[in-house]
Amino acid sequence: MGKKPKRDPPPKFATGGTWHTHHVILFDDLLNSPAYIALSATAKEAYTILMQEYKGKFTNNIVKCPYSTFKSKGMRPNTLSRALLQLETYGFISIEHGGLEHQPSKYKFIDKWKESYDLEFLNKAKADFDEAIRRKKLAKDIKANAS
């Protein structure tokens, strides 16, 4: 058996100059959806980071992304928590939190955001997100008053 012929790398304009560059592709239907437009800039950034960590079918469509990955890209705990909550509420991801011994959280991309063209879905998502934020703030206030 002979050696496989070496393939030429793709042109630089297609890869950003390196052979191993990973690309994140966001299609027009996502970018133009009312749900995506309604996301905060931080939620869009968190979504992009999760897309960078996505390894496809090789990981059963589950993204393992520890906080250190978000931190290395400049996100802080409070803003990240809010952004992930917004992504989950608006139907972009489902979150399975990490397990014992500091296991990273697991995320799965879902397409529920496609329902955002229905105004009722979008209004409910906004209301659910606002309610979740209100509950988090209330819990934080109760914890602060207890100490």
Side-chain angles (χ1 to χ4, degrees):
M1 295 198 174
K3 278 184 160 181
K4 287 185 180 179
K6 196 170 188 179
R7 292 178 54 195
D8 291 332
K12 285 188 178 187
F13 70 84
T15 63
T18 60
W19 173 244
H20 56 79
T21 301
H22 179 80
H23 296 283
V24 173
I25 298 172
L26 301 175
F27 293 101
D28 286 345
D29 63 336
L30 174 101
L31 295 173
N32 294 327
S33 71
Y36 188 82
I37 292 168
L39 290 176
S40 67
T42 309
K44 291 175 183 176
E45 182 180 0
Y47 186 77
T48 305
I49 292 169
L50 287 171
M51 289 292 287
Q52 283 181 310
E53 296 301 309
Y54 179 65
K55 305 297 185 243
K57 295 177 184 175
F58 300 108
T59 58
N60 202 19
N61 291 327
I62 292 175
V63 180
K64 288 184 183 178
C65 191
Y67 169 67
S68 59
T69 301
F70 290 105
K71 185 178 178 184
S72 70
K73 298 189 187 270
M75 297 192 80
R76 294 179 308 210
N78 291 341
T79 56
L80 175 61
S81 173
R82 184 181 177 104
L84 292 173
L85 178 63
Q86 190 175 27
L87 287 170
E88 184 176 39
T89 307
Y90 281 55
F92 289 90
I93 61 172
S94 64
I95 301 173
E96 181 185 314
H97 294 283
L100 298 173
E101 298 182 24
H102 304 285
Q103 295 294 318
S105 293
K106 297 175 185 175
Y107 307 92
K108 190 166 191 169
F109 291 108
I110 57 175
D111 288 338
K112 198 170 180 183
W113 59 267
K114 290 181 179 180
E115 298 174 28
S116 69
Y117 290 97
D118 174 15
L119 225 49
E120 188 177 316
F121 169 83
L122 191 59
N123 290 335
K124 183 178 180 335
K126 285 179 182 179
D128 290 349
F129 176 67
D130 291 341
E131 177 63 21
I133 293 298
R134 187 189 68 75
R135 280 192 214 148
K136 279 182 108 171
K137 185 175 181 189
L138 183 62
K140 187 177 180 181
D141 291 344
I142 290 171
K143 186 177 178 182
N145 290 337
S147 23

